[in-house]
């Protein structure tokens, strides 16, 4: 099987990964001490918390999708494990104008290995991505952000730089897990290939027939 740069379906191991080489990507403890924070932070008590980080991750994806000239629709009430629906302009959901759905997660403490990223996904979220009983392909988009929220973005007259990167994973070839009251509180570790870097080009690759063939269309 090919990797994500070709729009193919990557090998996604269900057991332990073959490599466990640590990699440092500029994460860790926040860099900005409270004494150096700008005054407006006093009026933003949730600055840098999990909800703020999650919102940054979603906007990271929307900016990439907009740069790719894709229509982006937000699920205001996320009850089915979908944060964004992305599609080509036209009659959405058809073969001519395909659409995909994405669940977005953002972390500042990633377990990055030589060729993949280990990420503990809640069983409920895993089951919302796994299997083929969907009308359109679904993906996990994993955004890796610095621990220091002041390092999430840097704007100059030349460019807006967002840190650090996002990756994708498709689980339609995996079976959903049995769910009961106990397992619903657990997690399932997924292995996101580092070859699956999200870019303008690779976003378009996710609309390939390969992924639509995996779901019940």
């Amino acid at each position: 099987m090919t990797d994500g740069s070709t729009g193919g379906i990557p090998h996604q191991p269900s057991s332990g990964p073959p490599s466990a080489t640590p990699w440092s990507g500029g994460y860790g403890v926040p860099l900005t001490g409270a004494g150096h924070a700008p005054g407006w932070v006093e009026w933003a008590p949730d600055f840098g918390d999990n909800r703020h980080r999650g919102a940054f991750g979603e906007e990271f994806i929307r900016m990439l999708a907009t740069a790719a000239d894709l229509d982006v629709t937000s699920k205001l009430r996320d009850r089915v494990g979908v944060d964004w629906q992305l599609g080509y302009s036209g009659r959405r959901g058809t073969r001519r104008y395909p659409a995909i759905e994405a669940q977005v997660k953002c972390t500042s403490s990633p377990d990055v290995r030589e060729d993949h990223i280990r990420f503990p996904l809640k069983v409920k979220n895993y089951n919302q991505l796994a299997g083929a009983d969907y009308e359109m392909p679904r993906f996990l988009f994993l955004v890796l952000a610095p621990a220091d929220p002041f390092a999430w973005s840097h704007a100059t007259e030349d460019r807006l730089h967002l840190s650090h990167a996002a990756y994708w994973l498709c689980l339609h070839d995996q079976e959903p897990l049995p769910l009961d009251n106990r397992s619903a509180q657990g997690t399932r570790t997924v292995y996101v290939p580092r070859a699956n870097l999200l870019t303008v080009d690779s976003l378009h690759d996710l609309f390939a027939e390969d992924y639509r063939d995996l779901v019940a269309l």
Side-chain angles (χ1 to χ4, degrees), residues 127-166:
N127 284 351
Q128 290 170 332
L129 294 167
D133 191 19
Y134 296 100
E135 292 184 349
M136 63 184 68
R138 289 187 173 192
F139 298 90
L140 171 67
F141 288 171
L142 180 62
V143 179
L144 276 53
D148 183 2
F150 289 101
W152 291 351
S153 67
H154 179 68
T156 69
E157 291 184 330
D158 295 324
R159 65 176 180 171
L160 171 63
H161 179 92
L162 300 180
S163 295
H164 286 288

Side-chain angles (χ1 to χ4, degrees), residues 39-98:
W40 57 261
V41 174
E42 178 183 354
W43 307 105
D46 56 351
F47 181 73
D49 68 7
N50 287 336
R51 288 182 299 178
H52 184 197
R53 183 178 297 104
F56 172 78
E58 291 186 24
E59 295 305 318
F60 191 108
I61 297 301
R62 181 162 72 167
M63 184 165 290
L64 268 178
T66 301
D69 198 25
L70 296 170
D71 286 344
V72 189
T73 304
S74 173
K75 293 290 186 179
L76 296 179
R77 298 181 66 189
D78 177 13
R79 295 182 290 180
V80 292
V82 174
D83 294 303
W84 293 118
Q85 187 177 97
L86 289 68
Y88 290 96
S89 59
R91 208 172 61 142
R92 182 159 302 189
T94 64
R95 289 281 172 172
R96 185 174 180 183
Y97 301 107

